[in-house]
Every structure is written in structure tokens, then in C-alpha cells.
Amino acid sequence: MDTQWLPAALAMVAGGGAGLSPEKRAALGTSLLLLQRDYRFERVWFWGCIQGVRGAYYIAEGLGPDRAAPRSRLYSLNCLDWSLLTAAPAEALALAEQLKGRFQGDPSFDYDLAATNPEAAARLIEGGKEPVIKEETRLIATIEQIDREVGIVPRGAFVKTPLGSVHENRHFEGLSLAEAKKLSSYLHFTKPVNLKNKTLLEKADLDPSTDFLDSLEHDLPKGSWSIQLEKGGTVVVLRSLLWLGLTFYHVPMTKQFGYVYFGTGEKNLDLPFML
């Protein structure tokens, strides 16, 4: 969710009952601008909030010229002071994704792998490492997993150059209302998976500059997205049933779109049995 549209964007996704207090919104409006200046980001997105037992993590993402490049992620406990989330080894992130239960709200909290994954704990002990995962590592893993699985953008909002970099499409003026109500008009803003499996005949109808991402229409399980018209039919809202709390909005015929997450950071693994 772009910070320049933050107040209006938060109002558009508030239909699900999630949001921020006026004090938090005011604090974010100031601190995110300072964050962009201090870290020299080209753009800052407010990612959302993960609610823990004893506190909440407010997340922001810093972007450079290439929108598909790895993002810098930061968290705050009060919407004022921000700390950079450093990259963790792939093995640690994979283990962190397997952790269950609520976040504690303490970045230094240790999860004991001996109780949740004895085999992984044994491997760490053999390698001379402690069989623990810090909550900060779990936070990084959860943000990456949510971005990978349900971070979406409208079709045509970004273009891929012949050199492989991805930039905002200056000619994008929003989806029409008819197109905005279709699941196929939205794409996962991450490395494509299903696109590689398409035949040459299917790829012949695609524009490589705009159709370089996977569409939501192939997401599994079927029915994991809810599409609704709100604000008198002027705003299209998509909600993920797989990651409860992820809300995407788009105002048709405008450049306004974005997504935000307000939840506990727990995946809805029971969704296939609920549909």
C-alpha cells in the first residue's frame, strides 16, 4: 500500500473491520516519510500489521527502481521507530515457516525447535548450532510467504523491460469496472510458476511486457479469493481466505490500488475443508 495514498487506502479496506487508530495513522504518515528519506528508498509501502500476544509488528517495505528486486523490510512496535529486518539463511526461513501458533510480539523471543521439529533440531545440534528460531526470523519468513502467495497487482500496472527489470507502467490508468470484477485481471507480484507451464500456443497471445506474472484464476484451492464491490460500487476489494486479513483494493479507471495485511500471521490451513 503506497504511503502517498495511505489515509484514503486504509479507509477503502476498512470494510473488513481492520484498520489503525487515528494516532497510529498520524504517526505512520510522518515516520514513513522520514524512513524513505533516511534509507533513500525510491518508494515506501506500508505492508500491514501482524498482531502478537503481547504486542504488534507494523511492517513497511522499501523499494528501489526495479520493483521486482528484493525489497528492504522494516518493522516497528510503535509506528515511530523502525528496525531493518536482515536477511536470514534459506534453511532458517524454511524452518520458521513451519512454526505454528501466535506471534509473541517480542523480536528476541526464541522458539524451541526440539518441541516442534525434532529432526531439524538434531541437525542444528550436530552442526554446533542452538536448536532455536528467533521470532524476528519467523517474522521475515511470514512476510515473504504472504507476499509470495497473496501479494497481488492489477494486470498492466507494471511492465517488464527487455533487460528484465520491472517498472511502474506510466500508461496504466486502471482497469475498467467490468475487468476489475474478474479474477483473471489480477496477478501475483512474484516470480511466476504457472506461466512456465504454458504451451507455446498459449504464450502466443500474451504480451511479454505485461503478461509476465501468474494470474489469480489458477490459484489453489479454488475459491480462495473473495471479490466484492464496496463504497457504492466504486471500489473493488479482494480478500484472501487463505491468509485471513489480506485485503487488496483497486479504484477502477484510476491508478489507485494496493494491499495491506492485518492479522495474526497464521495461514488458514483448514480452507480446503471449508469450501
Side-chain angles (χ1 to χ4, degrees):
M1 183 178 286
D2 202 322
T3 53
Q4 64 178 335
W5 295 325
L6 186 59
L10 287 174
M12 292 178 189
V13 300
L20 296 171
S21 67
E23 293 80 6
K24 296 295 184 185
R25 290 200 300 268
L28 281 175
T30 302
S31 65
L32 290 178
L33 293 176
L34 296 176
L35 188 70
Q36 182 174 354
R37 184 201 65 183
D38 295 342
Y39 284 87
R40 298 183 180 179
F41 293 134
E42 185 171 293
R43 191 68 61 83
V44 172
W45 286 354
F46 175 63
W47 185 89
C49 171
I50 293 181
Q51 185 68 47
V53 176
R54 292 175 290 184
Y57 297 104
Y58 300 91
I59 313 298
E61 293 184 327
L63 294 83
D66 185 358
R67 295 296 190 260
R71 305 168 193 170
S72 298
R73 296 184 172 97
L74 304 97
Y75 74 91
S76 173
L77 301 177
N78 56 10
C79 293
L80 291 173
D81 305 309
W82 296 89
S83 301
L84 188 65
L85 287 167
T86 55
E91 182 183 2
L93 293 177
L95 292 174
E97 288 184 4
Q98 300 173 13
L99 296 174
K100 309 296 181 185
R102 294 282 303 275
F103 279 78
Q104 296 299 310
D106 179 6
S108 62
F109 180 81
D110 290 331
Y111 291 91
D112 186 5
L113 286 179
T116 58
N117 195 330
E119 295 182 0
R123 289 196 301 270
L124 290 175
I125 293 174
E126 290 177 0
K129 301 178 182 178
E130 293 187 18
V132 296
I133 293 288
K134 286 194 174 296
E135 184 157 277
E136 185 174 335
T137 303
R138 185 189 178 190
L139 184 63
I140 299 170
T142 301
I143 296 170
E144 289 189 359
Q145 190 177 8
I146 292 176
D147 274 343
R148 183 172 65 249
E149 296 184 4
V150 290
I152 61 176
V153 295
R155 183 180 181 275
F158 293 88
V159 294
K160 188 174 184 179
T161 68
L163 298 177
S165 58
V166 176
H167 303 277
E168 294 178 6
N169 186 359
R170 296 181 179 179
H171 302 289
F172 177 72
E173 295 296 336
L175 300 171
S176 66
L177 182 59
E179 290 295 320
K181 292 188 288 185
K182 298 178 182 178
L183 205 58
S184 58
S185 298
Y186 302 96
L187 310 172
H188 287 281
F189 199 40
T190 187
K191 291 183 179 180
V193 177
N194 297 326
L195 191 64
K196 299 177 182 178
N197 300 327
K198 289 184 178 292
T199 64
L200 293 177
L201 186 61
E202 291 173 323
K203 291 181 179 179
D205 297 328
L206 301 179
D207 184 346
S209 65
T210 57
D211 298 315
F212 59 95
L213 301 170
D214 285 335
S215 170
L216 266 63
E217 61 182 336
H218 303 298
D219 282 12
L220 296 175
K222 293 289 185 180
S224 60
W225 288 97
S226 167
I227 302 182
Q228 295 175 325
L229 291 176
E230 299 187 0
K231 304 293 182 182
T234 60
V235 180
V236 179
V237 174
L238 279 74
R239 292 185 174 89
S240 173
L241 304 181
L242 189 62
W243 286 95
L244 297 173
L246 190 287
T247 307
F248 170 89
Y249 81 95
H250 175 48
V251 182
M253 306 304 296
T254 74
K255 296 184 178 182
Q256 296 185 47
F257 67 87
Y259 66 86
V260 68
Y261 178 81
F262 288 102
T264 60
E266 297 174 286
K267 190 175 183 179
N268 184 17
L269 299 176
D270 295 329
L271 179 61
F273 306 101
M274 300 167 64
L275 296 174

